[in-house]
């Protein structure tokens, strides 16, 4: 396991998430995260980035089964996680940052991914263009490069379990 992330072969596709996606409204990221933005993701430097948060009351059996299955598969013991859809519009971006709240992010593209995920680790910079779920160590500095098409993904963020404790 490398220090910045794990590439998987899992992708449930939009069909799995459609019922949750359709019930939520997009919120511009600065509006959603408010005062945390400047500290954790570059604030106003973030361009065309939107969030749909899946609140706990929408975590039905189907969604819980998927989430708990991932936790079990990777040995994650958590009581503090968050589910979201992230959208970076074509030409948008997310500047370099390390997350303040989350430790791990399971990132699953729901559209063709044309915006590489850049990650800085102890050996330099890596760019990952993934189309299946990628598990990111969010304590490493990372960013999203400008996609040429809208970049939509499902994110499962874990807040209370370090990436370094994942078992594979």
């Amino acid at each position: 396991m490398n220090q910045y992330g794990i590439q998987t072969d899992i992708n449930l596709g939009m069909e799995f998430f459609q019922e949750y996606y359709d019930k939520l409204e997009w919120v511009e990221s600065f509006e959603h995260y408010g005062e945390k933005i400047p500290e954790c993701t570059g604030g106003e430097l973030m361009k065309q980035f939107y969030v749909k948060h899946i609140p706990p009351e929408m975590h039905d059996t189907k969604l819980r089964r998927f989430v708990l299955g991932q936790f079990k598969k990777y040995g994650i013991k958590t009581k503090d996680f968050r589910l979201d859809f992230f959208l970076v519009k074509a030409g948008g971006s997310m500047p370099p940052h390390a997350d303040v709240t989350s430790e791990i992010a399971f990132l699953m593209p729901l559209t063709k991914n044309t915006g590489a995920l850049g990650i800085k680790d102890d050996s330099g910079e890596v760019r990952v263009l993934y189309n299946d779920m990628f598990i990111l160590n969010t304590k490493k500095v990372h960013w999203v490069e400008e996609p040429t098409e809208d970049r939509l993904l499902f994110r499962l963020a874990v807040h209370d379990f370090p990436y370094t404790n994942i078992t594979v």
Side-chain angles (χ1 to χ4, degrees), residues 29-49:
S29 58
F30 189 80
E31 182 181 327
H32 185 73
Y33 290 110
E35 294 175 2
K36 293 180 185 178
I37 287 286
E39 184 180 351
C40 70
T41 57
E44 294 175 5
L45 297 176
M46 190 180 309
K47 298 187 307 187
Q48 299 182 35
F49 182 86

Side-chain angles (χ1 to χ4, degrees), residues 50-64:
Y50 302 89
V51 179
K52 283 187 178 189
H53 172 62
I54 306 172
E57 58 269 16
M58 288 181 67
H59 298 185
D60 62 9
T61 302
K62 179 177 98 167
L63 193 54
R64 274 193 223 110

Side-chain angles (χ1 to χ4, degrees), residues 144-156:
V144 175
E145 296 178 351
E146 291 186 9
T148 56
E149 300 174 26
D150 289 358
R151 177 184 183 266
L152 174 64
L153 60 85
F154 168 78
R155 178 190 74 148
L156 160 57

